[in-house]
Amino acid sequence: MSIFPVILFIFFVALVLGLTFWLANKAKSEKGYFAAGGQIHWGVNGIAFAGDYLSAASFLGICGLIASHGYDGFLYSIGFLAGWIVALFIVAEPMKRLGKYTFADALDAKFDSRGIKLAAAISTLIVSMCYLIPQMVGAGALVRPLLGLSHSAGVLIVGGVVILIVATAGMASTTYVQFLKGGLLIIFSLVLTVALLLRGFSTEPDQGGRMDFYRFKSLPADVVGGEYIPRDETHVYESQHEVNGAIFVKLSKLRELGRDAEGNYTFQMRGITFPIAGYKEDIEAFMASPEDHEDIRGAVFAKHDGKPCIKTMAWWEMEKLEDGTVVLHERASEARSAAGRKFINAVPVRDDQQLQLGHASKIQGKSGAGVKTGPVGPFKFLAIMGDPETEVIRWVPAGNIEEEGFTIALFRPLPTAGNTLMRPGLKFKNKLDFISLMLALFFGTAALPHILIRYYTVPSEAAARKSTIVAIGAIGFFYILTMYMGLGAIVNGTFNPASSNMSAPLLARSFGMVIFSIISALAFATVLGTVSGLIIAASGAIAHDILDRFSGLKMNEKQKVNVGRLAAFAVGLIAIILGVIFQGMNVGFLVGWAFAVAASANLPAIIMLLFWKKTTAKGIVASICVGTVAAVGLILISPDMYQRYGLDPGSSILPFSNPGIMSIPLSFIVLVIVSLLTQKRSESPATST
């Protein structure tokens, strides 16, 4: 592994920590810790808004969803951006006018209700936790290719650094970290997009000459005694499994081992040179005594003409043609042993190595070897992608196999016409699910606690409005870039169907280690900034809302800040645990859940407080409680959670995955009914003091 990514990663972490310690003096007072003193410039705050909002979901998750599902993935970008319209015209100035440090401050400004303080604080904690999960999952996904560490190690690193940031300098440090990484992320995403356009399209993408293009093979086979025996003598039948109604056959083949410049053993497969990391002594022991060392840690070694070889065992899907001929089609696989060893097509590889697939088999009707476009403009790129004569090979899960202590994930190619890829329908086949998601994204943005508290960092209502406009421009431009990066991953052979979150970093790696290291380090900084904001929001809810204002504990400013720091530590630990539990799920998809909870629990209370004079404190409390419980409860019985439980998603109680279409209206209805039933002059915001 190159040392450059490690050096750059250390540099970014050191820069963030240096900034944190430099700004620590601004976190001595309560206002300094929770709101950066309220003196952040609106321009800085606008880019910090973008840095806060362009989380792991935006960079890793959305690019992965676009690579997986084309235009349907981009709909997440549209939904995320549209929510800022609500923030601009409804929330920005009132939040600054009503609030002080937290979301609960604004809701409770006209009531002084202990119920609102508690309900709003609990809602903040739940939404923050829902949003923290995908950020930590994204951190774990990034660390593997960047540093060669495990998912758990990545989550621990992020958790530790963020806890240090928040506990040391609070919102001041968080703001400038978000400003820095937000601006740099947009700049280098633009650089990556320009590089992608200059490369253009190819039917045999070789990542700029860094990797030979590999065409998956098909072999005729004979059925002998129920076994599928390939007619190609270089492949040997090993075993077979039925997976989701299809027959998958494992074939083995000997591949000669070579050596790299450092003397480590390597082999060639799919045009990639794979180092057999950690096997040097094992292979030499095998050469000295083959009969004792044939099977070592799951890798099978052999001799051929006196030279060391490794036995690779790829999976092939059986197809029976109309004339009765049997053909085996080579498929991709990623496996892990019970001991945690990683295998690509049954070959041992380092943990940072990824399965990389996808290409355009036809470019505007032209197919075959060597078809290239050369550099294309941004509009030409989209025109080629959307052409009905363009065909993209997407790779989709085919099922899993358990064999001899291995868990093997299988993937099959799915040819998709360009115009199909660039229109809705690949992911959102259930229109109700799509509408529910868009409602959550549209209404959730203006109700996210870590977004709302940023309005308290600027000095005036006008500054709050201006910073929102800057955020909309920066975020909108970035989301346009996600379209190019996501589509670029699928046509450049840098899409890993086992972990779609890595689409953008793997695309960057195809242009060399420098841009890969910068993009990955920035993505890691993106996680740091967003998690910092979330933990600030959560610690404020605990220290300021629950312990100070709800419980009535008499604490001075120093004590409140210290309690906030302790709360940040506790929330950070919980986030680390959840990040490990939800490993492997697409972070963009997970964030959709956080938006649904925020839109259901918080936004109805904000809107009705601002625009309906009959809103009461009890109505707000009931709305928050019902919205939170409904959203979380519906998520727990959704098809995606059933799959997480190991159950059949088709048997889930809820037929769709996004709860917003039910939980958001329910929250509004409850607020109206309870407010009408509890009309008292002492509770009405129009008459209360």
Side-chain angles (χ1 to χ4, degrees):
M1 176 186 293
S2 171
I3 194 67
F4 184 72
V6 179
I7 294 173
L8 193 64
F9 170 80
I10 294 173
F11 169 76
F12 268 93
V13 172
L15 180 64
V16 167
L17 293 179
L19 190 64
T20 296
F21 296 136
W22 181 63
L23 294 168
N25 287 332
K26 294 181 179 293
K28 301 297 184 182
S29 66
E30 184 180 12
K31 188 174 184 180
Y33 182 80
F34 291 114
Q39 296 301 313
I40 300 295
H41 186 273
W42 57 266
V44 172
N45 198 53
I47 299 299
F49 257 136
D52 211 345
Y53 199 65
L54 299 180
S55 62
S58 295
F59 184 62
L60 302 178
I62 291 178
C63 288
L65 286 169
I66 292 171
S68 303
H69 302 99
Y71 185 78
D72 274 7
F74 186 62
L75 288 173
Y76 275 83
S77 293
I78 295 173
F80 285 146
L81 182 61
W84 280 93
I85 305 302
V86 178
L88 175 62
F89 290 106
I90 297 178
V91 173
E93 294 186 34
M95 286 300 295
K96 175 61 184 174
R97 182 172 63 252
L98 295 173
K100 187 177 181 183
Y101 301 137
T102 66
F103 164 62
D105 282 343
L107 283 187
D108 196 38
K110 298 180 180 180
F111 294 108
D112 191 23
S113 163
R114 295 180 74 245
I116 289 180
K117 294 179 181 70
L118 181 62
I122 292 174
S123 167
T124 296
L125 289 172
I126 292 174
V127 174
S128 296
M129 283 299 173
C130 289
Y131 210 105
L132 276 168
I133 292 171
Q135 311 310 316
M136 304 305 277
V137 170
L142 273 171
V143 160
R144 283 187 178 178
L146 187 62
L147 303 178
L149 301 176
S150 67
H151 174 91
S152 300
V155 173
L156 283 169
I157 291 172
V158 168
V161 174
V162 167
I163 289 171
L164 185 58
I165 291 172
V166 175
T168 303
M171 181 56 89
S173 173
T174 297
T175 295
Y176 284 101
V177 168
Q178 290 162 340
F179 170 76
L180 180 65
K181 65 91 173 177
L184 289 175
L185 182 63
I186 293 171
I187 290 170
F188 281 98
S189 294
L190 177 60
V191 170
L192 178 56
T193 301
V194 170
L196 172 68
L197 296 175
L198 291 175
R199 175 183 286 177
F201 290 83
S202 171
T203 53
E204 296 186 345
D206 61 359
Q207 299 188 14
R210 292 176 177 83
M211 184 182 76
D212 295 334
F213 177 73
Y214 182 88
R215 289 193 177 275
F216 285 81
K217 301 177 178 65
S218 295
L219 296 175
D222 298 311
V223 183
V224 181
E227 297 180 349
Y228 297 91
I229 309 300
R231 296 177 186 174
D232 182 340
E233 295 181 356
T234 65
H235 292 83
V236 180
Y237 174 88
E238 294 285 345
S239 63
Q240 61 179 279
H241 288 267
E242 182 174 340
V243 184
N244 296 328
I247 300 295
F248 283 87
V249 180
K250 184 165 71 172
L251 304 179
S252 66
K253 182 177 181 177
L254 291 179
R255 296 181 185 272
E256 186 175 320
L257 294 176
R259 297 231 191 187
D260 61 18
E262 298 175 354
N264 297 313
Y265 284 95
T266 65
F267 70 96
Q268 286 278 331
M269 187 174 183
R270 307 189 193 292
I272 307 174
T273 298
F274 289 90
I276 310 297
Y279 280 77
K280 184 176 180 179
E281 293 180 0
D282 294 336
I283 296 172
E284 290 172 349
F286 162 74
M287 291 295 291
S289 181
E291 64 276 6
D292 296 330
H293 299 275
E294 180 182 353
D295 194 343
I296 305 170
R297 286 184 283 173
V300 179
F301 297 104
K303 276 188 175 182
H304 182 67
D305 293 333
K307 297 178 181 178
C309 298
I310 188 170
K311 183 187 284 187
T312 62
M313 290 171 280
W315 290 90
W316 303 64
E317 186 174 6
M318 186 277 293
E319 180 187 15
K320 194 169 186 178
L321 304 180
E322 293 182 0
D323 61 2
T325 303
V326 172
V327 178
L328 300 178
H329 301 288
E330 192 177 7
R331 299 303 186 225
S333 67
E334 182 173 291
R336 287 192 178 273
S337 69
R341 293 285 301 169
K342 183 177 180 180
F343 293 75
I344 292 179
N345 299 299
V347 175
V349 296
R350 293 195 314 259
D351 199 53
D352 64 303
Q353 289 177 306
Q354 305 261 329
L355 183 64
Q356 297 185 43
L357 303 167
H359 72 286
S361 56
K362 294 180 183 178
I363 301 174
Q364 294 183 313
K366 298 178 182 179
S367 60
V371 177
K372 296 182 179 181
T373 63
V376 296
F379 297 108
K380 181 66 173 177
F381 180 93
L382 297 178
I384 292 174
M385 286 299 308
D387 194 304
E389 295 298 315
T390 295
E391 183 181 77
V392 176
I393 304 300
R394 300 162 54 228
W395 286 78
V396 297
N400 296 323
I401 293 173
E402 299 286 339
E403 182 184 79
E404 298 178 0
F406 291 89
T407 299
I408 303 119
L410 299 171
F411 306 93
R412 62 162 60 97
L414 183 61
T416 306
N419 60 338
T420 300
L421 188 70
M422 296 296 287
R423 67 188 182 202
L426 287 180
K427 178 175 176 60
F428 298 111
K429 295 177 173 61
N430 185 328
K431 293 182 179 179
L432 195 63
D433 204 6
F434 168 69
I435 294 171
S436 186
L437 172 67
M438 288 298 108
L439 283 173
L441 299 185
F442 189 78
F443 290 116
T445 299
L448 292 171
H450 68 298
I451 297 296
L452 294 174
I453 62 173
R454 184 150 295 289
Y455 287 116
Y456 306 137
T457 65
V458 292
S460 66
E461 295 169 29
R465 183 179 66 254
K466 290 177 183 178
S467 62
T468 305
I469 294 172
V470 171
I472 290 173
I475 293 167
F477 180 66
F478 176 81
Y479 282 148
I480 292 172
L481 300 180
T482 63
M483 171 67 88
Y484 291 95
M485 291 186 288
L487 295 174
I490 194 63
V491 298
N492 277 275
T494 61
F495 172 62
N496 181 359
S499 179
S500 62
N501 294 325
M502 289 306 299
S503 296
L506 288 177
L507 175 64
R509 189 159 69 179
S510 75
F511 290 96
M513 289 305 296
V514 173
I515 190 169
F516 165 71
S517 301
I518 293 172
I519 288 289
S520 296
L522 284 172
F524 200 85
T526 293
V527 176
L528 290 179
T530 303
V531 172
S532 299
L534 289 164
I535 292 182
I536 280 284
S539 64
I542 294 172
H544 179 71
D545 297 333
I546 296 178
L547 296 181
D548 181 28
R549 302 190 67 218
F550 173 76
S551 300
L553 295 179
K554 301 299 182 182
M555 295 185 292
N556 58 36
E557 286 203 359
K558 184 177 180 180
Q559 290 173 325
K560 290 179 186 178
V561 171
N562 288 335
V563 170
R565 288 169 172 161
L566 289 174
F569 183 79
V571 172
L573 288 180
I574 296 172
I576 289 171
I577 295 170
L578 293 175
V580 173
I581 292 174
F582 282 84
Q583 175 182 352
M585 292 190 74
N586 181 276
V587 294
F589 178 79
L590 286 171
V591 160
W593 284 352
F595 275 70
V597 177
S600 305
N602 298 345
L603 194 72
I606 295 172
I607 290 179
M608 299 305 281
L609 173 68
L610 295 175
F611 298 104
W612 193 46
K613 293 182 179 181
K614 293 185 178 181
T615 300
T616 65
K618 291 181 180 178
I620 288 176
V621 172
S623 173
I624 293 174
C625 293
V626 170
T628 303
V629 172
V632 174
L634 291 171
I635 287 171
L636 293 176
I637 60 174
S638 68
D640 289 285
M641 284 305 295
Y642 264 54
Q643 188 172 8
R644 199 71 185 171
Y645 302 146
L647 304 174
D648 177 17
S651 66
S652 64
I653 299 173
L654 192 70
F656 49 87
S657 297
N658 296 287
I661 198 167
M662 295 177 64
S663 55
I664 296 172
L666 180 62
S667 184
F668 273 107
I669 292 170
V670 167
L671 188 148
V672 171
I673 292 175
V674 174
S675 292
L676 290 175
L677 293 175
T678 57
Q679 287 294 303
K680 295 180 181 179
R681 291 184 61 82
S682 60
E683 279 196 330
S684 172
T687 58
S688 62
T689 59

